[in-house]
């Protein structure tokens, strides 16, 4: 057991692993050169590679290079990883740069100016433990605070990896006082070897957590981009329909009815023709924001066409807010949208259908709401029309057939 670990060999193996990690981080950064987090993580891991290589050559190179610069580079590596985590949180990564670099500078100063420090392994172990633990807990604090705003599962993995690393070094602080570290021909006593091996494991663990955080954020952003309307920030048509399906598949979701409504901005083409497409975009954004602010909890809201929006409301919420659509219609009519020097008035036509409990064909439900919307437009626009929904009915072609739906006109 005494010769289980060989420190120079461990350091060189760790350095080789860090080189591989650094290459992949470099490729990621080259793919996204605007990422300040990837830039700092990449530089940090390359510094760590160099530092670990120097530590692995401690029996060959002079102490100022191996013990001094090797540890300083490793400390700067952790500092840059911390700054990368700040950048990943979209905080200012450069504000605490002095703190990030101070650990390595303190170490170099002690090696250069205090001869006993350079000679006494146990003093170095205590100081290194304090510095490494400090930077590890800074990383943990930063990643955890970011998790509260962006709960990526990999953030928890990073908290665990760097938190465990910091705890190891914190626990190592008093050990040299009770069991002084020894290093004979590169072979340490057992506890010193175990802690050094932990450094090897943590470097791999921490790197995997960083890769996972980057991957999860990209996956989440691609998912959001595929589901969210680029202009209004609400569901697009596909995501709106999927959200209805998900809502009805929850326990009890298909046992209650619902209300489905379509809203269409009146004379929207005239707004575009008169004021330009920029004004049209502003109108749609303001309309979307107003409707979203009026919807109760449990409502599903999406943009399903150019100037057409849809609302799905479970029956319990629909009954509790019976006049919701009428209030929305009135509020939109009273809204003045400013674009440049123009002040644009607008109105909406709304078609609504009441959906029964049980299995639902969403496309047929949309067809029923669309017939009610057509009736609102035919009635002169700026009104709310309610249409019946019969499961299994076919979507008609041409004008609205059958008996006239009930209409509320402004």
């Amino acid at each position: 057991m005494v010769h289980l670990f060989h420190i120079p060999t461990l350091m060189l193996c760790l350095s080789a692993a860090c080189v591989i990690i650094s290459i992949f981080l470099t490729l990621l950064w080259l793919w996204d050169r605007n990422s300040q987090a990837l830039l700092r993580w990449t530089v940090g891991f390359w510094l760590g590679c160099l530092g670990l290589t120097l530590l692995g050559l401690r029996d060959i190179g002079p102490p100022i290079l191996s013990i001094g610069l090797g540890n300083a580079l490793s400390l700067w590596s952790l500092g840059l990883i911390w700054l990368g985590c700040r950048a990943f949180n979209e905080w200012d990564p450069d504000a605490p740069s002095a703190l990030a670099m101070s650990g390595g500078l303190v170490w170099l100063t002690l090696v250069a100016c205090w001869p006993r420090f350079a000679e006494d392994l146990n003093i170095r172990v205590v100081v290194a433990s304090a510095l490494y633990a400090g930077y590890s807990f800074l990383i943990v604090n930063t990643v955890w605070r970011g998790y509260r705003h962006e709960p990526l599962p990999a953030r928890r993995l990073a908290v665990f990896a760097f938190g465990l690393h910091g705890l190891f070094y914190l626990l190592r602080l008093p050990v040299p006082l009770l069991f002084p570290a020894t290093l004979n021909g590169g072979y340490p006593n057992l506890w010193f070897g175990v802690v050094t091996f932990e450094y090897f494991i943590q470097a791999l663990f921490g790197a995997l957590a960083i890769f996972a955080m980057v991957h999860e954020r990209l996956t989440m952003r691609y998912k959001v981009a595929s589901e969210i309307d680029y202009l209004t920030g609400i569901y697009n048509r596909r995501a709106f329909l999927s959200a209805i399906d998900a809502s009805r598949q929850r326990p009890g979701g298909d046992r209650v009815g619902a209300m489905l409504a379509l809203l269409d901005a009146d004379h929207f083409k005239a707004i575009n023709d008169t004021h330009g497409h920029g004004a049209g975009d502003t109108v749609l954004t303001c309309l979307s924001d107003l409707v979203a602010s009026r919807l109760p909890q449990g409502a599903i809201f999406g943009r399903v066409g150019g100037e057409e929006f849809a609302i799905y409301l479970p029956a319990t919420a629909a009954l509790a807010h019976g006049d919701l659509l009428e209030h929305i219609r009135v509020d939109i009519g009273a809204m003045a949208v400013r674009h440049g020097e123009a002040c644009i008035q607008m109105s909406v036509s709304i078609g609504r259908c009441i959906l029964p409990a049980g299995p639902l064909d969403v496309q047929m439900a949309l067809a029923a709401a669309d017939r009610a919307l057509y009736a609102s437009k035919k009635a002169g626009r700026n009104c709310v029309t309610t249409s019946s929904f019969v499961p299994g009915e076919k979507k008609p072609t041409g004008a609205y057939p059958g008996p006239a739906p009930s209409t509320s006109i402004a």
Side-chain angles (χ1 to χ4, degrees):
M1 291 295 289
V2 175
H3 296 104
L4 182 61
F5 301 103
H6 185 250
I7 297 300
T9 302
L10 276 178
M11 291 299 177
L12 289 176
C13 289
L14 179 54
S15 178
C18 282
V19 166
I20 296 172
I21 294 167
S22 301
I23 290 173
F24 279 100
L25 280 171
T26 302
L27 292 174
L28 272 178
W29 174 72
L30 290 173
W31 177 73
D32 183 11
R33 295 192 182 190
N34 293 323
S35 173
Q36 293 298 309
L38 283 173
L39 174 61
R40 284 160 179 78
W41 285 333
T42 299
V43 175
F45 269 89
W46 279 118
L47 286 182
C49 292
L50 182 56
L52 291 167
T53 300
L54 291 175
L55 287 170
L57 300 175
R58 68 171 66 209
D59 293 334
I60 300 174
I64 190 63
L65 282 180
S66 58
I67 296 173
L69 187 57
N71 277 292
L73 288 170
S74 298
L75 288 164
W76 287 331
S77 172
L78 270 180
L80 282 168
I81 291 172
W82 172 49
L83 295 182
C85 292
R86 287 182 58 88
F88 191 76
N89 286 356
E90 298 180 348
W91 301 347
D92 181 3
D94 296 321
S97 294
L99 178 57
M101 298 296 105
S102 62
L105 293 174
V106 167
W107 184 272
L108 281 176
T109 302
L110 290 173
V111 171
C113 301
W114 187 13
R116 187 182 173 190
F117 181 81
E119 297 169 358
D120 194 321
L121 173 61
N122 289 285
I123 294 177
R124 295 201 307 272
V125 167
V126 171
V127 174
S129 298
L131 292 172
Y132 282 113
Y135 281 120
S136 296
F137 289 131
L138 281 174
I139 293 171
V140 167
N141 176 262
T142 301
V143 175
W144 180 250
R145 289 171 63 191
Y147 177 82
R148 293 166 60 185
H149 298 283
E150 184 187 35
L152 300 175
R155 286 185 183 271
R156 300 172 69 177
L157 183 65
V159 166
F160 177 78
F162 288 99
L164 186 64
H165 187 58
L167 183 61
F168 258 90
Y169 275 90
L170 198 63
L171 294 174
R172 196 176 80 158
L173 270 169
V175 175
L177 303 177
L178 303 174
F179 307 99
T182 59
L183 195 61
N184 299 317
Y187 291 99
N189 50 352
L190 184 58
W191 72 263
F192 187 39
V194 169
V195 173
T196 306
F197 183 71
E198 183 277 335
Y199 191 99
F200 179 84
I201 298 300
Q202 186 277 335
L204 299 177
F205 200 179
L208 288 174
I210 287 172
F211 281 120
M213 287 196 306
V214 173
H215 173 73
E216 286 179 357
R217 173 174 284 180
L218 287 174
T219 301
M220 179 178 290
R221 288 183 175 177
Y222 281 130
K223 184 175 185 293
V224 168
S226 69
E227 294 181 347
I228 301 301
D229 176 61
Y230 72 97
L231 178 65
T232 60
I234 61 176
Y235 282 138
N236 59 25
R237 182 185 183 91
R238 183 171 64 85
F240 175 77
L241 298 180
S242 296
I244 292 176
D245 287 338
S247 175
R248 296 183 72 86
Q249 287 172 10
R250 296 189 188 103
D254 62 351
R255 298 175 190 168
V256 296
M259 182 269 293
L260 180 66
L262 292 178
L263 295 75
D264 190 88
D266 293 331
H267 305 295
F268 184 71
K269 184 178 183 300
I271 293 174
N272 275 337
D273 292 343
T274 304
H275 302 286
H277 290 280
D281 289 347
T282 302
V283 165
L284 293 180
T285 301
C286 292
L287 186 155
S288 171
D289 291 345
L290 186 147
V291 174
S293 69
R294 301 295 191 273
L295 294 178
Q297 185 176 6
I300 301 171
F301 182 39
R303 183 184 179 192
V304 295
E307 64 269 21
E308 191 169 275
F309 298 82
I311 298 171
Y312 176 87
L313 203 59
T316 50
L319 290 173
H321 302 82
D323 295 328
L324 175 66
L325 295 179
E326 182 64 21
H327 288 317
I328 287 175
R329 182 193 66 79
V330 172
D331 289 345
I332 290 174
M335 180 174 61
V337 178
R338 295 195 173 276
H339 182 79
E341 296 181 357
C343 183
I344 305 169
Q345 297 292 138
M346 63 178 300
S347 64
V348 290
S349 298
I350 302 175
R352 166 181 59 188
C353 70
I354 306 303
L355 307 176
L360 174 68
D361 186 325
V362 180
Q363 295 297 335
M364 292 299 99
L366 281 172
D370 192 55
R371 292 197 295 276
L373 177 61
Y374 177 87
S376 287
K377 290 180 175 294
K378 191 174 181 180
R381 295 184 170 85
N382 193 23
C383 60
V384 180
T385 302
T386 302
S387 172
S388 60
F389 172 73
V390 179
E393 65 181 344
K394 295 183 179 180
K395 182 178 179 180
T397 57
Y400 175 79
S406 61
T407 306
S408 170
I409 304 177

